[in-house]
Amino acid sequence: MSNKSTPTERRIILKNADDPNYSNKIGCYLREGGYSMLKKSCKMKPEDIGAEVLKSGVRGRGGAGFPAGMKWKFLDRKSGKPIYLICNADESEPGTFKDRQIIHKDPHQLIEGMMIAAYAIQAKQAFIYIRAEFFEGARILESAIAEAKAKGFCGDKILGSDFSCDLVVHRGAGAYICGEETGLIESLEGKRPNPRIKPPYFPAVLGLYQCPTIVNNVETLCNVKHIMEIGGDEFAKIGKPNNTGTRIWCVSGQVKKPGYYEFECGALTLGEMIYDVCGGLLPGRSLQAVIPGGSSSKILRADERFSGKLKDGTEFDWGVEDIPLDFDGPMAAGTMSGSGGIIVMDDTVDMVEAMANINAFYAHESCGQCTPCREGSLWMRKITQRMCDGGAREEDADLLLSVANQIEGRTICAFGEAAAWPTQSFIAKFRDRFEEKVKNPERKKSSLQLI
Amino acid sequence: MISKKNSKVVPIVLDGKEVEVPEGINLVDAAALHGKEIPHYCYHPQLSVAGNCRMCLIEMGTPMRNRETGEAILDDDGSPKIGWVPKPVIGCATNVSPGMHVKTESEKVLGCREGIMEFLLVNHPLDCPICDQAGECRLQEFATDYGRGYSRFVERKNVKPKRTRLGPRVTLDDERCILCSRCIRFCQEVPKDDVLGFVDRGSFSTLTCFPGRELDNNYSLNTVDLCPVGALTSSDFRFKMRVWFLKDADSICPESSAGCNTTVSSREGELYRITPRRNDLVNDSWMPDSGRELYKSVKSDDRILSSHIEQNPCTTDEAMVEAIRLLKGKNIGIVGSCKSSLEEQFLVNQISKKTKAKNYIRGHFAEDDGILLSADRTPNLRGALVSGFTQKYPKDNLLSLSQSLGKKQVDALLVIDEDLDAAQVDAANLDGVPIVFIGTQANTTSNRASVVLPSLTSFEKSGTFVNRSFYAQFFRQAVPGPAGILPDLSLLSRLLNGLTEDEEIIPDQNSVWKLMNSVRGSVLKGISLTDVKKEAVLLDSSKWSDLPFVEAKALHFEPIQKVEA
């Protein structure tokens, strides 16, 4: 790997973000050709924009990776009810910090992408639902929207056309579950963010105020602008088939240069990301594990190997370092790229403690609506907490796995999986560490305080 | 209880057996129609679907179709290929569709139930020995039927408040709550009083009232009935009696003309509680809180417990002889009661006919809540019409009686359970008029009466009430009456037999019904006591469509539309 050149970033979304001469003011954005795509789009037929987005193959950047163009196609346009567009800026998956960069550094890009999307789906009203803790982000967005409104880029009669769509920033309610799209909708309606049961409450049909609604991630909506710039077909050439465009990866953990990096999908492997882009691990450390897509994705053990056949028929035999960073690569390795939050753990990490921290997060964030997640997440937390406090028992690993299996697939929303997958994968891959805890129950002096 | 009368049916395959179920119902109800239980906590057929308890998880699949041609894909043996949904689905939010396959007993389903039961119990206090719900608790039932039988939980349980006052009549034990949200949805959807909600999150979620509010609406106790566990308890019934000692009787609430179906529970002749009984035509599964208190009248201080002549206690026989002596040969005025059963009203009217008496009856009216407490606060005003006791709609007074007395057209009174003073009868006109009073509770009239004959409350006898929609509904005796008190039917038939020379009337329900059936033009023609005992029978009300009924539009009730002249 050492003789390979360091992969270079391809910045589309974050093109201007870190330019010292660039600010989040509208002047900078206009100087860089901003809002010209909105001008172009407003002269097109709305359905043609949707067709371009579908052609681009852009997949949702929020975590599930569902094709955005397809999502728009599911929209119920026959009901005659108003259509809403919501930008999901409730970025709260542990290990993820990409949307914040966009909002802080290039908010107008998001606004332009949103207004194009709003025009494409003919939305009457658009919202940015921003995470409660993003005080500064909300302030930046609000002043950016005011600037855009003053120039006629959003609000009434956009750019002199007949299309009007207001854009409002709504600050979240301080809970992870507010990022689940139906939970977000409930929260936006002013209620507890209890996710809705699907069926029947698919947002594209019965969303906000029981009207058809599209909820897209910040990064996804920014991509809409770039799709219009180069066209859907051209966009589809970036990255790999079925994994189009660039992705912003957020690397955290024990690497020398943690941070956010934008690459074409599949342009580099996980190993290249850790060792070349992020400068490798801290001196004298070795890789123990990686969580590739935010804390809810399944963990990978450093010495694991994956083999099988990809969807296109090519066979693969990968070590952890060889997993290509796109949507399908991590999927083939039995995990997911999720929200792009890569968490690197070196050999100093106590895996049971890491598990305890993840369980603490999910137990704290479970909304409490449905039984398996509400009770299961807290139970798992209590078990791992006890294990770290010197009370580990031999049967705990099996019990944890059984509890996680009782949650997965039985909940109202995907939070159940998010809470169960870490436990399932930790037990499957690091069972030895859980067994070791029974023999050596004392905590290391160097251990940090648990969450 | 889902109506099988729904004309459209769809075929589904339930655990390998092809069955037909009404179109549009969900899988929990569909399975119940065919004797399969899909256990559930949060689902209630008369509330919106929340889908949060996950107890009703089942396996479901639909016939696969070719995406392009729309044709059904067949298996090797020619049967339709079933696309099973990979994850279990909740039965309460899945509606039947033609050809749907459902597994309610597969290993996966049983595993789901075991898992959910375990989760529900990990933070449950397991305080059944001191819990009021014990014996009628869904957690107990389903833990026995679907649980694992042992606990794997060794951590500390969550601790929550044990006795929170939610309102004047409802007390909450937070630790027992399984957060099914039935009570919240009930308050939002039935009394439209959105006072309950959850605070905090995850396993620490707790049910509470909105700040500054209380669960004090007149339907609050329905949340206690709805609660599948022992979290919501009735402050009145709490710790009074173990439910397995209670004997239940199907009754009808005598509070108003809504005619809520109720279950009256007693032990050893003592009444303990009244709960609603499901009837989708009348009251769904609800009843007002105020109706649940009525059993207390049985033991109230003003209850008349023995016969009196001129306010001196005597035997029933002595009182009866005196009553007949006072009434015989007089111009009798009879004041009937809208609280009497249909059978009693019929007998009173027989007395009236035989003695050529004048009939008077008073209505008792108050505000209509538009749900199950109607403006007519008597259970059987329509019974007075059906039995023929009156043709006119009763007024809230007896001024016409007062006038008749003034003109000396009436010189003796038989009063059934009515307070003449309260009904605006001029007391001066009553001077010298002998009164025979039959009733349960003492009032100014019984205090003035020459003869008082005690009678029974609706909990101590059986009979028929006709509700606001003209449903004839039978109520059964829940407890025996106080010693020595004759049933109203016996009292009335003895009076009748004493006042006339005709053939004696046998005071039992069947004989009275035979007599009622034989009246020419009666709307009861062709309806037997057995029919009414079985279920609510809708009577033909067209005869009375011009009467000024006071009830407002309410649950399962539409007032008769008056055609504007």
Side-chain angles (χ1 to χ4, degrees):
Chain A
M1 221 168 274
S2 54
N3 48 11
K4 259 175 80 178
S5 62
T6 309
T8 47
E9 278 194 80
R10 172 157 182 194
R11 288 197 165 199
I12 295 178
I13 307 283
L14 296 175
K15 187 176 164 213
N16 300 316
D18 293 320
D19 183 343
N21 297 318
Y22 191 83
S23 80
N24 52 29
K25 294 281 172 285
I26 198 165
C28 278
Y29 190 64
L30 288 171
R31 196 182 66 211
E32 296 290 326
Y35 287 110
S36 56
M37 285 310 115
L38 179 62
K39 283 178 198 159
K40 180 179 146 193
S41 303
C42 279
K43 291 181 190 119
M44 292 168 68
K45 279 196 202 152
E47 51 271 31
D48 291 345
I49 302 172
E52 288 300 315
V53 173
L54 190 63
K55 262 195 278 180
S56 76
V58 66
R59 290 170 70 168
R61 262 50 171 174
F66 191 80
M70 198 73 93
K71 202 179 210 176
W72 292 12
K73 269 187 92 174
F74 289 150
L75 198 64
D76 176 13
R77 292 164 201 274
K78 291 179 196 142
S79 66
K81 292 182 194 168
I83 294 168
Y84 294 108
L85 174 70
I86 301 172
C87 169
N88 186 347
D90 193 74
E91 178 173 63
S92 21
E93 179 73 21
T96 315
F97 39 86
K98 63 190 178 63
D99 296 341
R100 180 214 294 254
Q101 303 305 325
I102 301 171
I103 291 165
H104 276 238
K105 293 170 178 169
D106 206 354
H108 283 286
Q109 183 183 201
L110 172 62
I111 294 168
E112 184 176 9
M114 279 194 79
M115 294 329 286
I116 298 170
Y119 178 74
I121 63 170
Q122 291 290 299
K124 286 272 168 284
Q125 170 76 52
F127 300 90
I128 300 174
Y129 186 98
I130 188 165
R131 180 178 172 175
E133 291 83 349
F134 287 179
F135 313 102
E136 186 65 6
R139 197 190 57 74
I140 292 168
L141 279 173
E142 259 159 14
S143 65
I145 290 170
E147 286 177 329
K149 271 191 186 156
K151 299 255 183 202
F153 295 130
C154 77
D156 281 340
K157 304 226 175 283
I158 291 169
L159 295 167
S161 71
D162 287 339
F163 178 68
S164 300
C165 181
D166 193 22
L167 178 58
V168 167
V169 177
H170 181 95
R171 287 203 31 221
Y176 174 78
I177 200 65
C178 290
E180 199 276 347
E181 63 177 358
T182 55
L184 184 154
I185 288 170
E186 286 279 301
S187 172
L188 193 54
E189 287 182 4
K191 305 181 210 153
R192 263 174 86 90
N194 284 357
R196 295 174 176 175
I197 48 174
K198 290 150 273 187
Y201 299 109
F202 293 109
V205 183
L206 294 170
L208 185 64
Y209 308 120
Q210 303 300 315
C211 297
T213 304
I214 290 293
V215 184
N216 281 140
N217 173 255
V218 173
E219 192 186 343
T220 317
L221 286 165
C222 290
N223 271 315
V224 172
K225 181 216 158 182
H226 301 287
I227 292 165
M228 296 318 293
E229 195 164 322
I230 57 175
D233 286 326
E234 224 23 61
F235 187 91
K237 288 178 192 158
I238 308 174
K240 293 199 305 197
N242 199 33
N243 297 269
T244 59
T246 62
R247 285 201 70 170
I248 305 172
W249 302 98
C250 317
V251 188
S252 58
Q254 289 111 337
V255 289
K256 281 191 190 138
K257 286 194 294 177
Y260 52 93
Y261 303 95
E262 186 175 356
F263 282 93
E264 279 189 40
C265 276
L268 79 171
T269 62
L270 189 53
E272 287 168 328
M273 177 63 92
I274 295 171
Y275 294 107
D276 302 338
V277 177
C278 297
L281 301 167
L282 300 178
R285 309 275 181 91
S286 63
L287 186 66
Q288 178 170 219
V290 185
I291 299 177
S295 67
S296 61
S297 58
K298 291 189 176 178
I299 195 167
L300 301 170
R301 191 176 165 125
D303 54 8
E304 260 188 289
R305 285 206 80 77
F306 312 94
S307 59
K309 237 181 205 180
L310 291 176
K311 270 189 196 150
D312 59 13
T314 52
E315 287 195 19
F316 66 91
D317 181 28
W318 296 330
V320 165
E321 283 90 350
D322 308 322
I323 297 172
L325 285 182
D326 53 21
F327 289 93
D328 293 341
M331 197 72 87
T335 177
M336 62 172 186
S337 62
S339 55
I342 299 171
I343 303 169
V344 181
M345 302 183 187
D346 68 20
D347 54 350
T348 62
V349 174
D350 181 322
M351 294 317 282
V352 181
E353 286 179 7
M355 176 84 271
N357 275 345
I358 292 176
N359 283 345
F361 176 79
Y362 288 106
H364 182 247
E365 294 296 343
S366 170
C367 77
Q369 187 186 192
C370 66
T371 312
C373 162
R374 175 180 74 229
E375 301 299 339
S377 60
L378 185 67
W379 190 1
M380 293 196 300
R381 180 202 176 147
K382 285 177 176 172
I383 296 171
T384 42
Q385 177 99 42
R386 170 170 53 74
M387 292 184 81
C388 294
D389 289 345
R393 305 176 305 159
E394 233 170 273
E395 58 267 44
D396 283 335
D398 287 327
L399 180 60
L400 273 170
L401 186 61
S402 164
V403 172
N405 291 343
Q406 280 183 183
I407 303 173
E408 189 197 10
R410 302 180 186 181
T411 51
I412 290 176
C413 74
F415 190 106
E417 279 78 28
W421 283 343
T423 302
Q424 288 174 337
S425 58
F426 268 73
I427 301 291
K429 296 171 184 183
F430 295 96
R431 184 181 275 271
D432 51 342
R433 310 298 158 82
F434 287 77
E435 282 162 1
E436 206 181 286
K437 264 279 181 254
V438 185
K439 288 174 206 137
N440 302 308
E442 290 307 307
R443 285 198 77 189
K444 276 187 254 170
K445 286 226 169 72
S446 60
S447 286
L448 297 171
Q449 199 183 341
L450 290 177
I451 295 173
Chain B
M1 285 297 275
I2 292 290
S3 169
K4 287 185 188 179
K5 288 167 194 157
N6 192 338
S7 54
K8 278 207 162 178
V9 290
V10 294
I12 64 166
V13 178
L14 185 64
D15 290 321
K17 210 177 120 201
E18 193 158 323
V19 294
E20 285 192 332
V21 293
E23 192 180 33
I25 68 170
N26 69 27
L27 289 177
V28 173
D29 291 335
L33 281 181
H34 294 280
K36 297 259 179 189
E37 181 185 52
I38 297 180
H40 54 271
Y41 290 103
C42 70
Y43 170 65
H44 188 284
Q46 283 141 348
L47 297 175
S48 62
V49 170
N52 60 35
C53 75
R54 317 306 285 179
M55 191 64 191
C56 64
L57 285 171
I58 40 143
E59 283 190 85
M60 186 272 284
T62 46
M64 289 171 86
R65 292 190 175 279
N66 187 315
R67 284 221 177 139
E68 274 128 46
T69 61
E71 276 172 39
I73 300 173
L74 299 182
D75 248 341
D76 297 337
D77 61 353
S79 59
K81 198 177 163 92
I82 302 303
W84 288 97
V85 180
K87 289 184 191 177
V89 301
I90 44 172
C92 66
T94 311
N95 286 347
V96 295
S97 68
M100 182 180 268
H101 278 57
V102 184
K103 287 186 199 166
T104 71
E105 290 164 346
S106 68
E107 209 163 297
K108 197 169 172 185
V109 172
L110 297 181
C112 286
R113 290 176 188 166
E114 227 174 60
I116 302 297
M117 270 322 302
E118 179 172 43
F119 283 144
L120 286 173
L121 294 178
V122 291
N123 281 305
H124 187 83
L126 301 176
D127 56 350
C128 306
I130 56 152
C131 177
D132 271 313
Q133 193 82 4
E136 52 181 14
C137 174
R138 290 288 166 148
L139 272 181
Q140 287 183 327
E141 289 165 14
F142 293 156
T144 316
D145 292 349
Y146 307 107
R148 200 172 263 130
Y150 59 90
S151 174
R152 302 187 292 173
F153 189 79
V154 296
E155 325 302 327
R156 275 174 178 252
K157 288 180 188 254
N158 293 347
V159 176
K160 290 180 184 176
K162 290 293 277 180
R163 53 189 77 76
T164 309
R165 181 185 186 271
L166 285 187
R169 293 174 293 279
V170 182
T171 305
L172 166 70
D173 185 318
D174 261 316
E175 287 185 340
R176 298 177 188 154
C177 177
I178 58 164
L179 306 165
C180 72
S181 80
R182 272 184 174 189
C183 49
I184 299 177
R185 283 173 285 145
F186 171 81
C187 285
Q188 288 169 343
E189 292 163 21
V190 181
K192 310 257 187 314
D193 181 29
D194 194 359
V195 288
L196 294 177
F198 291 130
V199 290
D200 291 335
R201 63 194 191 194
S203 191
F204 301 102
S205 302
T206 26
L207 180 70
T208 187
C209 285
F210 285 106
R213 297 286 311 276
E214 267 198 338
L215 178 61
D216 56 1
N217 66 62
N218 196 26
Y219 290 85
S220 66
L221 283 169
N222 290 291
T223 61
V224 175
D225 307 329
L226 276 170
C227 184
V229 301
L232 292 173
T233 53
S234 155
S235 309
D236 177 39
F237 179 68
R238 207 168 137 91
F239 304 135
K240 291 265 166 68
M241 182 50 60
R242 306 260 44 163
V243 295
W244 52 83
F245 290 132
L246 293 176
K247 201 177 88 190
D248 290 343
D250 289 355
S251 189
I252 302 294
C253 178
E255 190 186 18
S256 79
S257 63
C260 294
N261 291 213
T262 58
T263 300
V264 178
S265 306
S266 62
R267 184 188 181 191
E268 293 174 7
E270 193 86 20
L271 290 167
Y272 283 93
R273 68 170 180 188
I274 302 175
T275 44
R277 181 162 51 92
R278 185 171 172 187
N279 185 337
D280 292 1
L281 299 169
V282 179
N283 58 315
D284 285 346
S285 303
W286 330 125
M287 72 179 291
D289 292 359
S290 40
R292 299 173 195 245
E293 305 249 328
L294 296 181
Y295 75 87
K296 292 179 179 167
S297 68
V298 168
K299 288 261 151 105
S300 68
D301 292 341
D302 59 354
R303 182 80 197 265
I304 306 172
L305 289 167
S306 75
S307 304
H308 291 77
I309 298 175
E310 301 299 346
Q311 306 302 315
N312 296 315
C314 62
T315 65
T316 310
D317 284 346
E318 289 164 356
M320 190 57 78
V321 170
E322 177 67 3
I324 292 167
R325 190 188 68 80
L326 288 171
L327 295 174
K328 203 153 192 175
K330 293 278 181 59
N331 295 321
I332 309 172
I334 298 183
V335 180
S337 169
C338 297
K339 293 171 189 163
S340 301
S341 73
L342 178 66
E343 295 84 352
E344 291 155 18
Q345 286 169 340
F346 178 80
L347 277 193
V348 175
N349 197 37
Q350 290 297 104
I351 295 174
S352 165
K353 276 185 184 165
K354 296 280 157 80
T355 59
K356 304 209 164 42
K358 277 192 155 68
N359 287 357
Y360 302 90
I361 193 161
R362 177 194 172 197
H364 294 255
F365 306 117
E367 210 178 317
D368 201 313
D369 74 354
I371 311 172
L372 287 168
L373 185 59
S374 66
D376 176 359
R377 292 294 159 81
T378 56
N380 205 25
L381 184 147
R382 282 160 176 78
L385 300 169
V386 171
S387 64
F389 185 82
T390 178
Q391 272 75 46
K392 285 198 220 119
Y393 195 75
K395 292 205 171 76
D396 198 9
N397 59 56
L398 288 170
L399 289 173
S400 59
L401 171 66
S402 197
Q403 282 167 9
S404 304
L405 286 164
K407 291 181 199 155
K408 309 287 180 203
Q409 290 163 338
V410 170
D411 54 12
L413 280 173
L414 171 61
V415 179
I416 318 285
D417 229 350
E418 192 60 72
D419 186 338
L420 298 181
D421 281 19
Q424 299 175 39
V425 175
D426 195 343
N429 290 345
L430 289 170
D431 281 345
V433 178
I435 298 173
V436 175
F437 181 89
I438 301 178
T440 56
Q441 253 71 21
N443 59 26
T444 55
T445 307
S446 69
N447 290 340
R448 183 200 303 268
S450 312
V451 177
V452 173
L453 288 160
S455 65
L456 299 177
T457 65
S458 67
F459 306 108
E460 297 154 336
K461 62 188 178 188
S462 53
T464 309
F465 287 148
V466 181
N467 89 337
R468 58 185 173 188
S469 309
F470 277 92
Y471 276 111
Q473 305 189 98
F474 193 78
F475 59 93
R476 286 179 167 76
Q477 182 184 13
V479 287
I485 300 189
L486 284 181
D488 302 43
L489 280 186
S490 301
L491 283 179
L492 293 168
S493 56
R494 281 176 74 172
L495 261 184
L496 180 59
N497 295 336
L499 287 169
T500 65
E501 309 304 323
D502 296 355
E503 198 185 330
E504 289 207 351
I505 284 179
I506 304 158
D508 77 36
Q509 303 276 354
N510 275 314
S511 318
V512 176
W513 268 83
K514 273 186 197 136
L515 282 175
M516 289 199 292
N517 286 142
S518 66
V519 175
R520 259 188 37 208
S522 167
V523 295
L524 298 170
K525 270 237 146 67
I527 300 165
S528 71
L529 179 62
T530 324
D531 297 336
V532 178
K533 276 184 173 174
K534 214 183 288 167
E535 59 180 0
V537 175
L538 188 60
L539 304 179
D540 177 13
S541 62
S542 52
K543 253 194 226 179
W544 300 287
S545 59
D546 289 338
L547 295 186
F549 292 112
V550 293
E551 290 94 343
K553 184 178 159 35
L555 187 71
H556 298 303
F557 176 73
E558 281 287 343
I560 301 164
Q561 292 292 314
K562 297 258 161 42
V563 184
E564 293 287 322

